[in-house]
Structures are given as structure tokens and as C-alpha cells.
Amino acid sequence: MSRPARPGPWPPAASSQPQPQTQHQPLSWAKRTAFKNAPISTSGQISTPNTTPTPPPPDLESGPTTNAALALPPPPTNAIASASGTQHTSVKRSNGGANGASKDRNPSAGQRQRDSSAPLPRLRDREVVQEDHDELPQRHPHVVTYSLRDSPGLVPIVYYGLQHYLSILGSLILIPLVIVPAMGGSYEDRAAVVSTVLLVSGVTTLLHTLLGTRLPLVQGPSFVYLAPALALINSPEFQALNQNNFKHIMKELQGALIIAAAFQAIIGYTGVMALLLRLISPIVVSSTIAALGLSFFSYGFTQVGACLEIGILQILLVFIFSLYLRKIKLFGYRVFLIYAVPLGLGITWAIAFVLTETGVYSYKGCDANIPASNNVSEYCRKHVTRMKHCRANTSHALRDAPWFRFPYPLQWGTPVFNWKMALVMCLVSIIASVDSVGCYHASSLLVAERPPTAGVVSRGIGMEGITSLLAGLWGTGVGSSTLTENVHTIAVTKMGSRRAVQFGAVLLILISLIGKVGGFIASIPDVMVAALLCFMWAMLAALGLSNLRYSSNGSSRNSIVVGLALFFSLSVPAYFQQYGLNPNSNVSVPSYFLPYVVASHGPFHTPYAGVNYVLNTLLSFNMVIAFVIAFVLDNTVPGSRQERGAYVWSKSEAARREPAVVKDYQLPFNISSDKRLIALVHCNDNNNNNNNYYEAFCSKQVGVGSDISGGIIFFNS
């Protein structure tokens, strides 16, 4: 009685007969980063990759999948035969026969049935993948409803343009509501800065979608610049100012931002950023952005506690809309998930307005404008805080704000340039560039045919320097960069149309000219601003950590690097902020701003006051410590590119062969074919062992965004 034949090796050896080529070969980049068949949900999460072609990805927000859908089907024979015969795998197996030769055996019917029903082992981690510079990473075809170059029509463009900006409303308006009161600005100053921010955001978004990366990314006031702005506002030299505090400090901020913007434009347009791309990985980006979101914990609930009933109501509504009601659809859209922030803000604001108008927060004989320390009555000292933080004086805003106001450059006066503040801002602009690099990569995988080339990334960073220069000239208080919330908004709304974002930017410019809008937004109670910021900063930390999905999830190396970066990003700044600070001293700033007065009492005491200011201030920033530690460890601790999850950008030679990629990133208005465009670039030669050399590229290559790692672009008159 003969034994049944043993099953052959896995994967089976390729047959001698040529196999038909599959229509879509799996790319080496996709194998390495698990993006070829990774379905992406509306929440932006990417599920475990599959080794076989899959149907359109399931919507993870619509509910759990069935068990049958979770089973891993056996791979098709053609794909296995094709993959085993290529040069991308170096793993060879034998069945261990007597003569040591590999033989094909036919298993029995029962064995085939058992093998087909059992899950198959995953071989991707065992393969040694050879990088192919000519192949480009692809996006999943079903991620968004409208991709980068789609034009959905006039009515959908209007709807989706408004939807995109409403979903990130908090990121656009909250920063002015924090820094203007800290500078001693009045209600009118706050309304003016809000209108200026809306105008600059619309203009810079148009510039970035036309002359930057051309991705549908909204530009606006960045949280990266908030900490250095607060540190500058609370500098010792400004504590003795008695009048015109707001304009004086704003002019100092403008000067620092203008110099930092010029520095960022230089590192972008000269291609220094393209060189740094080789050293920036998802480990660095995730640690830096997560530390940025966690760094403002001292401001969040401290302000919410000034009026608990309004603040907690605001937080609970946003949590309920964004988490518990996120799967509910109205008119085919997840309204609660998309508009969680504006819906929570509107409902809480309406309740606060009703309570204010009905006299709940009105106390007889008490004035909210009189400080509590100056009140003689014990009754008024007890309730003046609630009057100040809980009241919604919307009627006052609509009555006093002008109907038309045009924000203009240098509206606060001539900027004041201070080298020590400018140096701090220049170094912080590098952090903003790192944040933008992560946004470019994540958003391009959602909306574009391929990720941009290194040249396009450099062009985008250079344009962000120009947009921050505009923010400094107009006086928004902080620099402008790509808002991190763009990636979440695109993933949730499934709208990646560039034209929709551009139309929304035009509407934002028109709205900024209506003074009543700025006055209305400026009347948001401080406690509601703090409650929204609690959610926004938590979202920012979560979006930062989501970049870890591009790296190896089970790597102890990555876990240790991220853990060390996050821990020391909280511990080291705490040491600087508490050093030399007397707990019993009378400090003139509120307690939630104490982390930003470190320049006056930090541990560095050299004979040079400017050096002390720069070192004490920079090392008290959580994001700076996280970036330095993650950057050094990730680039010195041994680890493969697959383990690190290094960002893979499209190569210029392969990008030029695909018309769709050219159309995604080429400059408009025939700029790329203008013979007057002259470029001298320091480029990366992919065919000569990555040797750098100087070459004058034709304007078409520059317009496509060749793999530029340096260059100055100008127009010859």
C-alpha cells in the first residue's frame, strides 16, 4: 500500500511553461510598505495588507465585517508563479528529498482540501526585496470619491468647498483667540486678527495649490508656531509695558516671522529640504507631531475649569459627535463625524447665549470688566470669574463690528527685527517643514496617482516659506503652514478635488472682508475656545502617532525610539520650566502661561543674554526635544528601510513616463514650458550611484518637479 504523496514546497516552483502576465504586477514599494492592497477607511486607518487582489475596500466606519471576509484566500497560481520567477525574491526552498533536488509532487484530494481551507502563511516579511527606482508607489483607486484633478461640477464644488473648510474650522480661528488676549489686545483687536487670518489663509491656500505641491491642502495658522509666539509674548522685556502692548508685541512677532519665513523659503527652493528627506522618516514625524499636541496640556482644562458647565458640555458634544455618532448618515453623509467641531461649537454657543440673555450670568452690582482684585464686594469677587468666562456677548459683537474691513499689510506698524527671537522662529520653521512633509506624503496617497517627487516637496516647502512671509507682513501672529488636520478631513469626507479646495479659499477671502464675521467669531467665550482646543490638540497628537502605520508595527527599535522621544519631550521641558522658579513668587502671568516664561529663569546663564534666551526658550519646547531625540536615534540606531518605514517618494525618471503624474504636479499657466524660466539645480542622479552633480534642467523637467535636491528658480526678464 503506497503512502499518499507529500505536498510540495510552498510557494510551488514555477512551471517550465511560460505563465501569462498579470495585468497589474505588485510593486516593490507596495510590498515594502504594505500599501498596494491596504484598504483605507473614512477614519484614515489602514488595515492589514492582503497578498491577493481584493475587491473595493470595506468601509470600516459602516460596521464590523463578517468572519468570512476575514479569511485569507489562497493566492492565485499565476501570481505565485510570476512572483517566484522574478528577481525581487531571494528566498529559495527545497523539499528536502533524498537526492537534495527539488521535485514537484501532487498532493491527494484530501490534502488539497485541507490546504485550501487553512490560512496560508504570509511570506512578505521573509522576502528580501530589491528596491526598483523606476517603480512608483500607487494610491488605492477607491479611497476618495473625487481625486486630485476631478471636477465634480459647480454645485458639488460649492458644497464640498464649504464642507472642507467647516470641518477644519477650529484650526483656522482658535489661535488668534488665544494669542491676542495674551498680548493685551482688545475685543476689536481680536476681531481684526481673525479677519486677517481668514484672508491670509485663503490667499496662501490658493498659492500652494497653484505653485506649491498642488495637493488639496489648506494652509493656515500653525500650532507649531503657537508655543514660540507665547514664549515671545511672555518675554521679560514685555512685562513692563503699560500701554500699546498688543501692537508692540505684534510688531516683534512680525519681524521674527518674516526672517523665519525667508529662511524656510531658502531651504525649500535651494533644495536643502530634498536632502533632509532622506533623514526624515515616519518615526521622526510621529514623535514630533505627537509631542506638539501633548505640549499644551497646561492650557487646556485649566481654562475649561473657569466655567465647568459650558466647557464640559462643549467637550462632551464633540466627543459624542465624533465618536458615538460617527456612523450615522444623514442624506448619505456622516454629518456628525465631518462637522463634529462646528456642530458642538454652535450648540454650546447657543446655550451660552440663551443663559447670558436670560440673566443667569448677571450678578447685581457686579461688572465683569473690573478685575476681581479691585472689587470691594466679596459677592462680586466670587462671581466675576464666571461672568467673564461664561457669558456670550454675541449681540455686542454684531452691534460694534463694522460691516466691511479690508486687512492690509503692515496694518499694525513697521515690524521690529530682533535676532534672538528670529533665530528661535527659524529653528521652529524646520519643525513646521517636518510636519508638512508628513502631510504631503499621507495626502498624496489618498488623492494623487503617486506621491510627489523630492523636487515637488522642496517646491512646497519653499512656497510655505512665501506664505509665512505673507502672514508676517499682514500680522497674523503665527506662521502659515499645511494644517495637519487636512489628512483626516480628506479621509473622512473622501473629497480630494483641488478645485473644491480652491473654491473654498476664494470664499474664505470674501468672508474675511465682512467685519461682522470676524467680530462674531471673536465673541466666542474663552472657556469654549479652551474646550475646543482640548479636542484639537488631542486630535493633533493622534494624527502624529498615526504616521507609525508606515513603519514596522512590531519593531522594538521603533517602539523604544518613539517612547524615549515622547517621554523626554515632556520631562526635559519640565526641568527648564521649573528651574529657578520660586513657587511663592508673585508672577504677573496666568498659571497656564508659566511654561512660556522660562527665558527669565532657565538654567543657562552665560555672559550673553541673547544666547541664554535662545537656549532656554528652545529647550523648553516639547516638539524641539522630541524632534532632536527621534531624529538622532532614528538615523543612528541600525534598522532597515522597511523597519523604519522610510517615506518613498516618486523618482523623476519614472514620474515623467506617466502623464497622470505629470498632470498632478506640473505648474499651471504654461509656467513649466516658459522659455524664460531658468533653473540651476543640484540634482540627484539615479543612474550614477546617487552621485550629486550640477546640471541645467529644461523648464519642462523643473515644472514636473524633477528629483531636485537643490536649486534657485527665477524669471529672466
Side-chain angles (χ1 to χ4, degrees), residues 58-65 327 334:
D59 189 355
L60 299 184
E61 296 291 347
S62 61
T65 56
K327 298 179 183 179
R334 291 188 173 90

Side-chain angles (χ1 to χ4, degrees), residues 195-206:
S195 299
T196 304
V197 165
L198 297 180
L199 174 68
V200 173
S201 179
V203 173
T204 55
T205 301
L206 286 177

Side-chain angles (χ1 to χ4, degrees), residues 7 13 24 138 164 171 183-184 225 242 276 332 374 390 427 436 450 453 473 534 596 605 631 695:
H24 298 287
Q138 291 179 326
H164 198 93
S171 300
M183 289 189 286
Y225 292 97
N242 296 323
L276 293 177
N374 295 340
C390 297
L427 297 178
S436 298
R450 300 287 191 272
T453 63
L473 290 174
C534 289
Y596 306 105
H605 296 285
F631 184 85
E695 179 182 351

Side-chain angles (χ1 to χ4, degrees), residues 44 53 246 336 447 450 512 663:
F246 169 75
F336 297 105
V447 303
R450 300 287 191 272
S512 68
K663 293 179 181 178

